Amino acid sequence: MERHTFKTEIDAPREKVWAILWGEKTYSKWTAPFGEGIKAEGDSRAETDWQEGSKVLFLGAEGNGMMSIIEKSNPPEFMSFKHIGIVKDGKEITEGEEVKKWVPAYENYTLKKRNGKTELVIDMDIADEYEDYFLKTWPIALHKLKELSEKKT
């Protein structure tokens, strides 16, 4: 497993970017590129209350995905997820070969103020066999996040 960093600059305040990242109606829009087999925005979702210490189920259209814990939440500056298992066929799995590829792994989001804009930095531990997938998919998701965040409301 290797740690990778993904960055983007967004012409919007941190508070707005934070709200887009974790908002009930917007999370599924910017994360849609991650769902293998996701056919439409909204098929990707996170089941959680977004509170520090809470469990998060990151799920795709078929209900499969990752199970994590919110290790640290400091709105609107920092969110850290510790991946603790997977969800497959509706079951939370914390042991086995597939789980060992991801556990423990971290995914950290840092939002910094930069000249009236927001610099978003994501540090993520990635299992070797998924490296190419995430290296291709993160830029697409960040582009969508940027579009949503910069949209005038």
Side-chain angles (χ1 to χ4, degrees):
M1 190 169 331
E2 197 171 319
R3 178 155 293 193
H4 290 273
T5 300
F6 305 91
K7 294 181 183 181
T8 192
E9 185 177 87
I10 300 171
D11 190 9
R14 285 188 310 183
E15 293 78 10
K16 183 175 183 183
V17 177
W18 184 271
I20 299 291
L21 279 167
W22 317 123
E24 186 177 340
K25 293 180 179 169
T26 53
Y27 176 84
S28 63
K29 291 179 180 179
W30 76 266
T31 59
F34 292 110
E36 295 177 290
I38 291 181
K39 294 171 184 54
E41 291 179 352
D43 287 345
S44 162
R45 67 188 188 281
E47 294 180 3
T48 187
D49 61 8
W50 298 114
Q51 300 301 308
E52 192 170 304
S54 293
K55 181 169 62 172
V56 185
L57 301 179
F58 294 106
L59 304 171
E62 304 298 317
N64 297 326
M66 295 293 298
M67 179 173 48
S68 306
I69 296 290
I70 298 174
E71 282 279 297
K72 182 78 176 154
S73 177
N74 184 18
E77 298 173 17
F78 184 74
M79 179 83 84
S80 177
F81 301 101
K82 179 181 181 182
H83 300 308
I84 60 170
I86 62 171
V87 179
K88 191 167 186 173
D89 300 324
K91 295 186 177 116
E92 296 177 10
I93 304 167
T94 57
E95 297 176 339
E97 290 305 311
E98 185 67 22
V99 173
K100 287 179 186 176
K101 296 175 188 175
W102 288 103
V103 175
Y106 288 86
E107 191 170 328
N108 301 318
Y109 294 71
T110 305
L111 290 79
K112 301 175 185 176
K113 290 182 182 181
R114 294 274 189 253
N115 302 320
K117 298 179 181 181
T118 300
E119 179 186 49
L120 174 62
V121 179
I122 300 162
D123 294 303
M124 181 180 179
D125 297 323
I126 300 174
D128 296 341
E129 69 185 76
Y130 297 103
E131 185 175 41
D132 288 342
Y133 169 75
F134 280 107
L135 290 176
K136 283 187 241 174
T137 309
W138 263 114
I140 298 166
L142 289 177
H143 178 74
K144 185 64 177 174
L145 176 68
K146 184 175 171 69
E147 281 181 349
L148 291 166
S149 297
E150 292 178 349
K151 187 184 272 186
K152 304 295 182 212
T153 53

